[in-house]
Amino acid sequence: MEIAERSRARVQERLARLEQEFGSTPVDQTTFSVGSEAYQRAVERSREGQVDVHAFVHNESGDVLLSDADGSWEIPQGQTQGGERPAAAVERVVTETAGVACTIRDAVRATICGVRNEADPDAETVYRLSIVFDAEINSAKLDSDATETADGADASIRWDDASDVAVAELV
């Protein structure tokens, strides 16, 4: 029970910090099975204390920022690095993936993900935390579908109506 207990304790600690920073945030839990390689990545990310972060970044019209992720449009998402706070990770990820700066408004939802190894039913469940944040763009001067990221590369982005079905599916 070593992996399960430690990963669950890390998740609970991160949830407590999230509540201190943003107040009460809805929390749900899901469990799923993945292949051996994905399971090992989940174990390593848990050991490193990484949290998955996602951002709904709104412009002045209320539209949601989507970035091109290998041919599919997604809200900006990534993981914390080192001792980085999840809200700071979101700001970094949005800048890296979409080339824009944002300000976090709130934590929308947290999900505790129990990850099982489908190839080894006796392997312990490892627990990960995924947090969805609501944010607003810092600059209204973004009018094109492409901008430059922090490393100088082009990032394809678009704004979708927040009530759009495609955006709703990303939640």
Short mmCIF file of all heavy atoms in Angstrom, two decimals, residues 119-151:
data_model
loop_
_atom_site.label_atom_id
_atom_site.label_comp_id
_atom_site.label_asym_id
_atom_site.label_seq_id
_atom_site.Cartn_x
_atom_site.Cartn_y
_atom_site.Cartn_z
N ALA A 119 -2.39 -4.06 -17.01
CA ALA A 119 -1.60 -5.27 -17.25
C ALA A 119 -1.30 -6.03 -15.95
O ALA A 119 -0.89 -7.19 -15.99
CB ALA A 119 -0.30 -4.92 -17.97
N ASP A 120 -1.47 -5.37 -14.81
CA ASP A 120 -1.15 -5.98 -13.52
C ASP A 120 -2.23 -5.62 -12.51
O ASP A 120 -2.14 -4.61 -11.82
CB ASP A 120 0.22 -5.50 -13.04
CG ASP A 120 0.63 -6.13 -11.71
OD1 ASP A 120 -0.13 -6.99 -11.17
OD2 ASP A 120 1.71 -5.77 -11.20
N PRO A 121 -3.26 -6.45 -12.40
CA PRO A 121 -4.36 -6.14 -11.48
C PRO A 121 -3.94 -6.07 -10.01
O PRO A 121 -4.65 -5.51 -9.19
CB PRO A 121 -5.36 -7.27 -11.71
CG PRO A 121 -4.67 -8.32 -12.48
CD PRO A 121 -3.47 -7.70 -13.12
N ASP A 122 -2.75 -6.60 -9.67
CA ASP A 122 -2.28 -6.55 -8.29
C ASP A 122 -1.49 -5.27 -7.99
O ASP A 122 -1.17 -5.00 -6.82
CB ASP A 122 -1.40 -7.77 -7.98
CG ASP A 122 -2.19 -9.07 -8.03
OD1 ASP A 122 -3.41 -9.03 -7.70
OD2 ASP A 122 -1.61 -10.09 -8.41
N ALA A 123 -1.18 -4.49 -9.02
CA ALA A 123 -0.44 -3.24 -8.80
C ALA A 123 -1.34 -2.26 -8.06
O ALA A 123 -2.55 -2.20 -8.27
CB ALA A 123 0.00 -2.65 -10.13
N GLU A 124 -0.72 -1.49 -7.17
CA GLU A 124 -1.48 -0.52 -6.39
C GLU A 124 -2.03 0.60 -7.27
O GLU A 124 -1.43 0.95 -8.29
CB GLU A 124 -0.59 0.12 -5.33
CG GLU A 124 -0.18 -0.82 -4.23
CD GLU A 124 0.64 -0.10 -3.20
OE1 GLU A 124 0.05 0.71 -2.45
OE2 GLU A 124 1.85 -0.33 -3.17
N THR A 125 -3.13 1.15 -6.85
CA THR A 125 -3.68 2.33 -7.52
C THR A 125 -2.83 3.52 -7.13
O THR A 125 -2.48 3.68 -5.96
CB THR A 125 -5.14 2.57 -7.08
OG1 THR A 125 -5.92 1.41 -7.43
CG2 THR A 125 -5.73 3.80 -7.74
N VAL A 126 -2.46 4.35 -8.12
CA VAL A 126 -1.73 5.57 -7.85
C VAL A 126 -2.71 6.73 -8.05
O VAL A 126 -3.53 6.69 -8.96
CB VAL A 126 -0.47 5.73 -8.74
CG1 VAL A 126 -0.82 5.78 -10.21
CG2 VAL A 126 0.34 6.93 -8.34
N TYR A 127 -2.65 7.70 -7.15
CA TYR A 127 -3.60 8.81 -7.20
C TYR A 127 -2.92 10.07 -7.72
O TYR A 127 -1.80 10.40 -7.33
CB TYR A 127 -4.21 9.06 -5.82
CG TYR A 127 -5.06 7.90 -5.38
CD1 TYR A 127 -4.54 6.90 -4.59
CD2 TYR A 127 -6.38 7.79 -5.82
CE1 TYR A 127 -5.30 5.81 -4.21
CE2 TYR A 127 -7.15 6.70 -5.45
CZ TYR A 127 -6.61 5.71 -4.65
OH TYR A 127 -7.36 4.63 -4.30
N ARG A 128 -3.62 10.74 -8.65
CA ARG A 128 -3.14 11.99 -9.25
C ARG A 128 -4.23 13.04 -9.07
O ARG A 128 -5.41 12.72 -8.94
CB ARG A 128 -2.91 11.81 -10.75
CG ARG A 128 -1.90 10.76 -11.17
CD ARG A 128 -0.45 11.17 -10.99
NE ARG A 128 -0.19 12.56 -11.30
CZ ARG A 128 -0.01 13.09 -12.52
NH1 ARG A 128 -0.07 12.32 -13.57
NH2 ARG A 128 0.23 14.37 -12.68
N LEU A 129 -3.84 14.30 -9.10
CA LEU A 129 -4.79 15.40 -8.98
C LEU A 129 -4.78 16.20 -10.27
O LEU A 129 -3.72 16.51 -10.81
CB LEU A 129 -4.43 16.30 -7.80
CG LEU A 129 -5.39 17.45 -7.50
CD1 LEU A 129 -6.79 16.93 -7.16
CD2 LEU A 129 -4.85 18.30 -6.35
N SER A 130 -5.96 16.54 -10.74
CA SER A 130 -6.14 17.36 -11.93
C SER A 130 -7.03 18.54 -11.54
O SER A 130 -8.09 18.35 -10.95
CB SER A 130 -6.81 16.53 -13.03
OG SER A 130 -7.04 17.30 -14.17
N ILE A 131 -6.57 19.77 -11.86
CA ILE A 131 -7.31 20.97 -11.47
C ILE A 131 -7.62 21.80 -12.70
O ILE A 131 -6.74 22.05 -13.53
CB ILE A 131 -6.51 21.82 -10.46
CG1 ILE A 131 -6.10 20.99 -9.25
CG2 ILE A 131 -7.33 23.04 -10.02
CD1 ILE A 131 -5.12 21.70 -8.32
N VAL A 132 -8.87 22.24 -12.81
CA VAL A 132 -9.30 23.13 -13.89
C VAL A 132 -9.43 24.53 -13.30
O VAL A 132 -10.11 24.72 -12.28
CB VAL A 132 -10.65 22.69 -14.50
CG1 VAL A 132 -11.10 23.65 -15.58
CG2 VAL A 132 -10.54 21.26 -15.04
N PHE A 133 -8.78 25.50 -13.94
CA PHE A 133 -8.82 26.89 -13.50
C PHE A 133 -9.57 27.76 -14.50
O PHE A 133 -9.60 27.46 -15.69
CB PHE A 133 -7.40 27.46 -13.35
CG PHE A 133 -6.65 26.88 -12.20
CD1 PHE A 133 -5.84 25.76 -12.35
CD2 PHE A 133 -6.72 27.47 -10.94
CE1 PHE A 133 -5.14 25.24 -11.28
CE2 PHE A 133 -6.02 26.96 -9.86
CZ PHE A 133 -5.23 25.83 -10.04
N ASP A 134 -10.14 28.84 -13.99
CA ASP A 134 -10.77 29.86 -14.81
C ASP A 134 -9.82 31.06 -14.79
O ASP A 134 -9.33 31.44 -13.72
CB ASP A 134 -12.13 30.26 -14.22
CG ASP A 134 -12.86 31.25 -15.08
OD1 ASP A 134 -13.01 31.00 -16.28
OD2 ASP A 134 -13.28 32.30 -14.54
N ALA A 135 -9.54 31.62 -15.96
CA ALA A 135 -8.59 32.73 -16.05
C ALA A 135 -9.06 33.73 -17.10
O ALA A 135 -9.95 33.44 -17.90
CB ALA A 135 -7.21 32.19 -16.42
N GLU A 136 -8.42 34.89 -17.08
CA GLU A 136 -8.71 35.90 -18.10
C GLU A 136 -7.40 36.33 -18.73
O GLU A 136 -6.35 36.33 -18.09
CB GLU A 136 -9.45 37.09 -17.52
CG GLU A 136 -8.70 37.84 -16.45
CD GLU A 136 -9.55 38.90 -15.77
OE1 GLU A 136 -10.72 39.05 -16.12
OE2 GLU A 136 -9.01 39.57 -14.88
N ILE A 137 -7.48 36.66 -20.00
CA ILE A 137 -6.30 37.12 -20.73
C ILE A 137 -5.87 38.47 -20.17
O ILE A 137 -6.72 39.28 -19.79
CB ILE A 137 -6.57 37.16 -22.24
CG1 ILE A 137 -5.27 37.37 -23.00
CG2 ILE A 137 -7.60 38.20 -22.58
CD1 ILE A 137 -5.39 37.07 -24.46
N ASN A 138 -4.58 38.70 -20.11
CA ASN A 138 -4.06 39.96 -19.58
C ASN A 138 -4.06 41.08 -20.60
O ASN A 138 -3.95 42.24 -20.25
CB ASN A 138 -2.64 39.79 -19.05
CG ASN A 138 -2.61 39.07 -17.73
OD1 ASN A 138 -3.63 38.81 -17.12
ND2 ASN A 138 -1.42 38.69 -17.30
N SER A 139 -4.16 40.74 -21.87
CA SER A 139 -4.08 41.76 -22.91
C SER A 139 -5.21 41.59 -23.90
O SER A 139 -5.48 40.49 -24.36
CB SER A 139 -2.74 41.64 -23.64
OG SER A 139 -2.73 42.48 -24.76
N ALA A 140 -5.85 42.69 -24.26
CA ALA A 140 -6.93 42.66 -25.25
C ALA A 140 -6.39 42.82 -26.66
O ALA A 140 -7.15 42.84 -27.61
CB ALA A 140 -7.94 43.76 -24.96
N LYS A 141 -5.07 42.91 -26.83
CA LYS A 141 -4.50 43.17 -28.15
C LYS A 141 -4.29 41.92 -28.99
O LYS A 141 -3.67 41.98 -30.03
CB LYS A 141 -3.19 43.93 -28.01
CG LYS A 141 -2.11 43.16 -27.28
CD LYS A 141 -0.88 44.02 -27.13
CE LYS A 141 0.19 43.23 -26.38
NZ LYS A 141 1.37 44.00 -26.17
N LEU A 142 -4.78 40.78 -28.56
CA LEU A 142 -4.61 39.55 -29.32
C LEU A 142 -5.78 39.38 -30.27
O LEU A 142 -6.86 39.00 -29.87
CB LEU A 142 -4.53 38.36 -28.35
CG LEU A 142 -4.24 37.02 -28.98
CD1 LEU A 142 -2.83 37.02 -29.58
CD2 LEU A 142 -4.34 35.94 -27.94
N ASP A 143 -5.58 39.65 -31.56
CA ASP A 143 -6.66 39.58 -32.53
C ASP A 143 -6.47 38.49 -33.57
O ASP A 143 -7.40 38.14 -34.28
CB ASP A 143 -6.81 40.91 -33.26
CG ASP A 143 -7.26 42.02 -32.33
OD1 ASP A 143 -8.05 41.73 -31.41
OD2 ASP A 143 -6.80 43.15 -32.51
N SER A 144 -5.27 37.96 -33.73
CA SER A 144 -5.03 36.97 -34.78
C SER A 144 -5.16 35.56 -34.25
O SER A 144 -5.23 35.34 -33.05
CB SER A 144 -3.65 37.18 -35.39
OG SER A 144 -2.67 36.87 -34.43
N ASP A 145 -5.13 34.60 -35.17
CA ASP A 145 -5.21 33.19 -34.78
C ASP A 145 -3.83 32.61 -34.49
O ASP A 145 -3.73 31.46 -34.09
CB ASP A 145 -5.89 32.36 -35.87
CG ASP A 145 -7.38 32.55 -35.87
OD1 ASP A 145 -7.92 33.13 -34.90
OD2 ASP A 145 -8.00 32.13 -36.84
N ALA A 146 -2.78 33.37 -34.72
CA ALA A 146 -1.44 32.87 -34.43
C ALA A 146 -0.66 33.96 -33.72
O ALA A 146 -0.81 35.13 -34.01
CB ALA A 146 -0.73 32.47 -35.72
N THR A 147 0.14 33.55 -32.78
CA THR A 147 1.00 34.47 -32.06
C THR A 147 2.32 33.79 -31.81
O THR A 147 2.48 32.61 -32.15
CB THR A 147 0.33 34.91 -30.73
OG1 THR A 147 1.10 35.94 -30.16
CG2 THR A 147 0.16 33.77 -29.77
N GLU A 148 3.27 34.46 -31.20
CA GLU A 148 4.55 33.84 -30.87
C GLU A 148 4.55 33.38 -29.43
O GLU A 148 4.06 34.08 -28.56
CB GLU A 148 5.69 34.84 -31.08
CG GLU A 148 6.42 34.62 -32.35
CD GLU A 148 7.65 35.48 -32.46
OE1 GLU A 148 8.31 35.74 -31.44
OE2 GLU A 148 7.94 35.87 -33.58
N THR A 149 5.12 32.20 -29.20
CA THR A 149 5.26 31.69 -27.84
C THR A 149 6.52 32.29 -27.23
O THR A 149 7.29 32.96 -27.90
CB THR A 149 5.35 30.15 -27.82
OG1 THR A 149 6.51 29.78 -28.57
CG2 THR A 149 4.11 29.51 -28.39
N ALA A 150 6.75 32.01 -25.96
CA ALA A 150 7.91 32.55 -25.26
C ALA A 150 9.22 32.13 -25.92
O ALA A 150 10.20 32.86 -25.89
CB ALA A 150 7.89 32.10 -23.80
N ASP A 151 9.26 30.96 -26.56
CA ASP A 151 10.51 30.51 -27.20
C ASP A 151 10.61 30.94 -28.66
O ASP A 151 11.50 30.52 -29.38
CB ASP A 151 10.67 29.00 -27.06
CG ASP A 151 9.59 28.21 -27.79
OD1 ASP A 151 8.74 28.82 -28.46
OD2 ASP A 151 9.62 26.98 -27.68
#
